[in-house]
Amino acid sequence: MSIAKTASEHHHAHHFESPEKEFIASKEGVWLFLATEILMFGGLFVALTIFRGLYPEVFLKGATTVDWRMGALNTVVLIFSSLTMALGIHYFQKGDRQKAIISLAVTVLCGAVFMVVKYFEYSHKLHLGLAPAKFFTNPEMANIEHIKIYFGLYYTMTGLHGAHVLIGMGLISWILYRAIAKDEFGPKYFTPVEGVGLFWHIIDLIWIFLFPLFYLT
């Protein structure tokens, strides 16, 4: 079990020969986990590509129901959050605890802004009856064959992505708690911060692909 007392005092786990090997093993574990995430979203992107190819007119019609300005706003918010996440890691590595905490807090705030925008997007669509599967009740699109496929993929992929944003916010909040209450991170120990940072960057990267495929079709 890894023990971290303070930023200046970190004892690597007993089953590792050195802190360096502990750091390398931790990063490999994170990358292995991220590979499973990429495979999961990759399967959904393959399905999206196939159905876009089979029913291009359906996806063109479906894209008219989403607000690209909200999607663009969320894209800018997530790109900015990637910057603040990277700065948080950088400042911990440099020993500037205060700037690191501020950077991570801004990252969580960006995640909250993203979810608020998604809430308004979802609320508006559900109000219009543009819900997935059997809950679809929009009369204007009821006669468009296969339109439910578009909204099924839209809610599945953006909903799954939104869930990952919430998980990322929770993980960054956990890092903030450990940094503020226990002063665990610094130049000698920042492995959890970097691991969570990689997860957050993958979330941002996935959105970079989702935005044009659903909003700019």
Side-chain angles (χ1 to χ4, degrees):
M1 180 178 177
S2 180
I3 302 172
K5 296 297 184 182
T6 66
S8 59
E9 180 187 3
H10 170 67
H11 302 284
H12 62 277
H14 64 86
H15 50 280
F16 291 107
E17 293 181 0
S18 65
E20 290 75 20
K21 290 193 174 181
E22 180 189 59
F23 176 73
I24 293 171
S26 298
K27 286 197 70 174
E28 288 177 346
V30 171
W31 276 113
L32 183 61
F33 167 71
L34 294 179
T36 65
E37 292 285 295
I38 292 171
L39 286 173
M40 177 179 66
F41 276 99
L44 290 171
F45 277 114
V46 169
L48 176 62
T49 302
I50 291 173
F51 283 114
R52 276 171 59 94
L54 289 173
Y55 313 114
E57 69 286 352
V58 169
F59 280 78
L60 285 172
K61 192 66 179 178
T64 63
T65 65
V66 295
D67 191 336
W68 67 268
R69 291 164 296 188
M70 283 191 170
L73 172 62
N74 266 348
T75 303
V76 172
V77 168
L78 280 191
I79 290 175
F80 181 71
S81 75
S82 262
L83 171 64
T84 56
M85 186 73 230
L87 286 174
I89 298 169
H90 169 75
Y91 286 131
F92 273 128
Q93 292 173 333
K94 295 296 182 183
D96 195 333
R97 177 172 171 269
Q98 185 176 7
K99 287 184 179 179
I101 289 172
I102 292 173
S103 297
L104 295 186
V106 172
T107 306
V108 174
L109 180 61
C110 288
V113 171
F114 179 91
M115 293 308 300
V116 168
V117 173
K118 290 305 297 179
Y119 166 77
F120 284 113
E121 275 194 80
Y122 277 15
S123 298
H124 180 64
K125 286 181 182 57
L126 294 176
H127 176 72
L128 297 177
L130 300 172
K134 66 178 182 180
F135 303 105
F136 186 92
T137 57
N138 184 276
E140 297 177 3
M141 291 193 170
N143 296 326
I144 301 177
E145 193 176 13
H146 305 305
I147 191 65
K148 292 180 182 178
I149 294 176
Y150 173 87
F151 288 102
L153 284 169
Y154 170 80
Y155 283 108
T156 298
M157 297 183 75
T158 60
L160 189 59
H161 176 267
H164 279 70
V165 172
L166 289 175
I167 292 170
M169 291 170 62
L171 290 173
I172 298 171
S173 298
W174 169 65
I175 292 292
L176 279 171
Y177 167 74
R178 293 175 63 180
I180 295 172
K182 301 180 180 180
D183 190 20
E184 289 188 11
F185 308 116
K188 294 184 178 179
Y189 181 64
F190 50 85
T191 305
V193 187
E194 192 162 276
V196 171
L198 288 171
F199 178 74
W200 190 258
H201 292 318
I202 288 294
I203 293 173
D204 296 349
L205 183 63
I206 291 169
W207 178 257
I208 296 299
F209 287 97
L210 287 176
F211 171 58
L213 289 173
F214 280 112
Y215 291 80
L216 303 180
T217 300

